[in-house]
Amino acid sequence: MLDALSASLTVASSGLEAQSTRMRIVSENLANASSTGRTAGADPYQRKTITFDAALDRASGTQLAKVKEIGVDTTPYRVEYDPGHPAADKAGYVKMPNVNMMIEMADMREVNRSYEANLQVVKQVRSMLGMTIDLLRS
């Protein structure tokens, strides 16, 4: 039974780590949602993406959540007319980041819920381990 509880802790902690990395990526995207290039025609901040993969943990025999890759979103940049901006091209257009605030906020909400679910698993397993130790003492 303790092996199953230990495996549950391992799986939940891998989920916490993966969601923590995902939250960092979402935060970076939100923080740079209006970061343009510094010179005329320069590319702005490019939205980052994250991909997960399941990895076998040989010690516990469980599938763990792991970050597979942190990539970039290839959707086109938004273009805004702002001839006075330092990053404006000759026609007065500025390339804006391909970050959609609504998508990032939805991702942040999903990350938060996933993180909380994994945290609840850790709390429940710790509680069960405590009860098991108490039973063994008596």
Side-chain angles (χ1 to χ4, degrees):
M1 179 174 139
L2 292 177
D3 286 342
L5 292 176
S6 176
S8 297
L9 271 177
T10 303
V11 170
S13 65
S14 77
L16 286 170
E17 187 176 336
Q19 293 305 326
S20 191
T21 303
R22 185 176 175 201
M23 180 60 89
R24 181 180 56 82
I25 297 300
V26 170
S27 298
E28 286 178 21
N29 288 340
L30 286 170
N32 289 293
S34 59
S35 297
T36 61
R38 295 178 186 256
T39 59
D43 287 342
Y45 174 81
Q46 194 168 15
R47 179 180 181 261
K48 291 182 181 178
T49 59
I50 187 166
T51 335
F52 296 108
D53 197 11
L56 178 65
D57 179 37
R58 296 186 194 286
S60 64
T62 58
Q63 293 286 335
L64 305 179
K66 295 286 182 187
V67 174
K68 181 178 180 181
E69 178 183 22
I70 296 175
V72 291
D73 187 351
T74 57
T75 58
Y77 298 118
R78 293 180 294 121
V79 179
E80 292 182 4
Y81 183 72
D82 186 1
H85 195 283
D89 61 13
K90 291 179 183 176
Y93 289 97
V94 178
K95 292 181 191 175
M96 300 301 289
N98 57 351
V99 175
N100 182 325
M101 297 292 274
M102 294 302 286
I103 290 173
E104 300 305 322
M105 294 305 290
D107 280 354
M108 184 180 286
R109 203 168 168 186
E110 183 180 330
V111 169
N112 190 34
R113 288 183 177 166
S114 296
Y115 190 90
E116 286 177 2
N118 283 302
L119 197 55
Q120 282 298 338
V121 169
V122 170
K123 288 178 182 179
Q124 290 297 321
V125 169
R126 288 182 67 194
S127 174
M128 291 173 75
L129 285 170
M131 288 188 290
T132 303
I133 290 170
D134 289 344
L135 283 172
L136 292 172
R137 284 185 186 156
S138 55

